[in-house]
Amino acid sequence: MIMNYREQLETERLILRLPTLDDADAYYSWGSDPENVRYVAWGPNDMEQTKSFLAGVRKGMEFAVVLKESGAVIGSGGIYPNSAGDTAELGWILHKDHWKKGLGTEFCAELIRYGFNDLGLRRITAPCAAVNYGSYRIMERNGMRREATHVKAFWARVDKEWVDEAVYAILAEEYL
């Protein structure tokens, strides 16, 4: 399957572009903060880990989230197709200073649109810690439904405990 990968996407308030090593300070600002990475599978990261991640980003799959208004890099995320190219998983993180402004919902909506319209996916999924209200509300606002809850399946690294993981999904036929 040929996928139409793009290096830049745009929404009303955001530019989603290929991250570069010049973004290291911004990525470190949220990636090193325990509150910001409480419910992700990595972190807190030091600067070396941040630079290592940025050196290996995947074009058309990983994006820096940039505010159009200021040019500030406020988050990152991406869409990660499986080897068959018909299903992908979403992931994202925004700096906590930008939570509760609808930016995560806007970013997720664009990743879903990109996945179905440009990449021709059949299904998009996204996991999250079941207690992570911010993440699961973003998914619900974008038409994703909770398909499963896996009991104590996610290691919350910051809190050092196993928590339930919720899996959300949407099909192309539901989106289109």
Side-chain angles (χ1 to χ4, degrees), residues 73-144:
V73 178
I74 61 158
S76 68
I79 186 164
Y80 311 101
N82 65 1
S83 58
D86 68 339
T87 300
E89 184 175 293
L90 300 180
W92 63 84
I93 186 168
L94 290 178
H95 191 287
K96 66 184 180 188
D97 292 349
H98 299 280
W99 291 352
K100 298 182 181 179
K101 298 178 182 179
L103 297 167
T105 300
E106 190 172 324
F107 178 36
C108 181
E110 181 58 12
L111 289 177
I112 291 170
R113 186 214 58 77
Y114 174 59
F116 290 134
N117 293 345
D118 295 333
L119 302 182
L121 298 170
R122 176 186 66 79
R123 176 179 163 84
I124 295 173
T125 64
C128 73
V131 295
N132 188 348
Y133 176 81
S135 281
Y136 74 72
R137 282 300 295 146
I138 286 171
M139 291 182 262
E140 290 171 352
R141 284 186 194 107
N142 279 292
M144 298 180 84

Side-chain angles (χ1 to χ4, degrees), residues 17-89:
R17 63 157 172 79
L18 187 66
T20 69
L21 283 172
D22 292 338
D23 298 322
D25 288 338
Y27 274 62
Y28 180 74
S29 74
W30 64 76
S32 64
D33 184 332
E35 183 180 354
N36 232 118
V37 299
R38 171 161 273 117
Y39 297 120
V40 294
W42 50 268
N45 286 356
D46 60 31
M47 183 56 87
E48 204 51 47
Q49 290 167 314
T50 300
K51 288 179 179 178
S52 177
F53 168 78
L54 288 169
V57 295
R58 294 168 282 180
K59 180 176 157 182
M61 290 189 256
E62 296 182 21
F63 298 93
V65 180
V66 181
L67 280 177
K68 281 184 179 178
E69 179 179 271
S70 66
V73 178
I74 61 158
S76 68
I79 186 164
Y80 311 101
N82 65 1
S83 58
D86 68 339
T87 300
E89 184 175 293

